[in-house]
Amino acid sequence: MKIAQVTPLYEAVPPKLYGGTERVVAHLTDALVDLGHDVTLFASADARTRARLVPVRDQAIRLDPAPLKSDLAAHMTLLSEVLRRADEFDVIHFHTDMVHFPFFSRCADKTLTTLHGRLDMKDIGGVYERWPEFGLVSISDDQRRPLPLANWKATVHHGMPGDTYRFSPKSEGYLAFLGRISPEKRPDRAIEIATKLNKRLKIAAKVDAADKVYWETVIRPLVEGNPLIEFVGEIGDHQKSAFLGGAEALLFPIDWPEPFGLVMIEAMACGTPVVAFRCGSTPEVIEDGETGFLVDTLEQAVAAAGRAHLLDRHAIRARFDLRFSATAMARRYLDVYGDLLARRPFAEEAIADVVTPLRPSEDRSFAAANL
């Protein structure tokens, strides 16, 4: 199968530091190549991939030191190049939200769009009503709730290669928070949980410009005033095995409808249990009492983090291998691609050629109905 993967340009593929969507695209692309498919990746030139790379920008946007840059212009160039080569592919798989819809209507039947973000914002619903011809994939069932009538084709949970992170059979006794410093990620909850348990907490997170006030006024005082808390800063893939593997539990105290939460399966790959608030996708990812604990209150979170060391780390890794490997994700997407191809007009004509012929009486009534 000839497949195009179209990624956002904000981070490298895979990201050098923080980044979810581009990391998933990297894992999916390589897994599809490993399964024998002809894959072309449209991305920035700093991508590392086993697929054929079509570079559309010299480097990813976020870490580009240029003081002035246009996200819109970069993505317009990306879409133009994909559109120019659209006829080369059986399937064009977009990870760029809805920005490509106005340009690809003529070939929407050969596209698939995975939505990676939250969908409960104003104006979004109107877009999917205006362009219903584009088939969509959710990354959790919960993600669909704001748009139940959209053209959903499947839910495909994220996956990653089993060798990306090292399994750690034993922790070093601290708790971990990994991700982004923002109000909806609730690092303040993580700090409170660790403090109540009198356990060390390591925070590895980036601080976006939009969240600097929250960092300076809310989180930084909690970090600097507490000897149990260590702020590590933003880390890359090469540091995550040691960081997550050394943790007794990953704290995932979110307060928003998280569409997936890649860090949860990163922790599971290391054998580390996850203590997650029951919100968004977490009940679909965490198996309560097996790969971690689902909680509804801070008190429950404290109790769960206190007994996380009792869970079997080998069993947690085994569940990751079964449910969240890159190969498992790629095979699920191949099923969706196959269904997409079977529904295209040329496929329907081919199927019609081999159906059982109508009896003469049915044939005459069909002809009369179509005169």
Side-chain angles (χ1 to χ4, degrees), residues 237-254:
D237 276 354
H238 64 288
Q239 299 165 291
K240 286 183 181 178
S241 288
F243 179 80
L244 289 170
E248 196 167 279
L250 170 75
L251 302 182
F252 198 66
I254 58 169

Side-chain angles (χ1 to χ4, degrees), residues 11-220:
E11 304 287 346
V13 179
K16 295 177 180 178
L17 294 170
Y18 182 88
T21 299
E22 294 89 349
R23 179 167 284 108
V24 172
V25 175
H27 297 329
L28 172 60
T29 299
D30 285 350
L32 290 169
V33 171
D34 292 344
L35 290 171
H37 295 275
D38 184 353
V39 187
T40 300
L41 173 66
F42 292 83
S44 55
D46 47 0
R48 292 179 286 110
T49 181
R50 293 197 281 275
R52 183 183 301 105
L53 176 64
V54 176
V56 296
R57 195 178 193 276
D58 60 342
Q59 64 184 107
I61 293 169
R62 184 168 74 93
L63 299 182
D64 184 343
L68 299 173
K69 46 200 173 186
S70 170
D71 297 4
L72 178 59
H75 286 92
M76 291 290 283
T77 299
L78 165 70
L79 297 180
S80 176
E81 185 62 21
V82 178
L83 186 60
R84 186 179 72 83
R85 301 180 57 170
D87 291 340
E88 299 177 18
F89 307 107
D90 300 314
V91 175
I92 305 173
H93 189 169
F94 288 98
H95 302 267
T96 51
D97 290 327
M98 77 292 280
V99 69
H100 54 284
F101 286 0
F103 307 99
F104 287 82
S105 288
R106 70 170 179 85
C107 55
D109 61 347
K110 70 188 299 181
T111 74
L112 193 70
T113 302
T114 295
L115 301 181
H116 291 263
R118 66 187 301 171
L119 302 175
D120 57 346
M121 294 179 284
K122 183 178 179 179
D123 301 317
I124 284 184
V127 169
Y128 297 102
E129 291 177 7
R130 172 63 181 81
W131 285 281
E133 64 268 31
F134 288 90
L136 309 175
V137 172
S138 51
I139 57 177
S140 66
D141 290 335
D142 184 82
Q143 184 193 27
R144 299 184 182 194
R145 286 193 298 131
L147 298 175
L149 301 181
N151 186 16
W152 298 111
K153 298 300 183 184
T155 290
V156 179
H157 291 149
H158 290 334
M160 63 182 59
D163 59 359
T164 300
Y165 300 118
R166 295 189 313 274
F167 170 70
S168 178
K170 185 178 180 181
S171 81
E172 296 175 17
Y174 60 85
L175 302 174
F177 176 96
L178 174 62
R180 179 165 50 87
I181 298 294
S182 64
E184 67 271 16
K185 298 286 189 178
R186 297 301 301 265
D188 59 318
R189 278 179 173 171
I191 293 170
E192 188 170 358
I193 292 165
T195 302
K196 286 181 179 296
L197 286 170
N198 197 34
K199 278 186 174 290
R200 290 181 297 141
L201 171 68
K202 293 187 178 183
I203 299 176
K206 75 165 182 172
V207 182
D208 283 336
D211 296 312
K212 281 190 175 179
V213 171
Y214 175 70
W215 161 250
E216 292 290 345
T217 62
V218 178
I219 301 304
R220 188 170 182 175

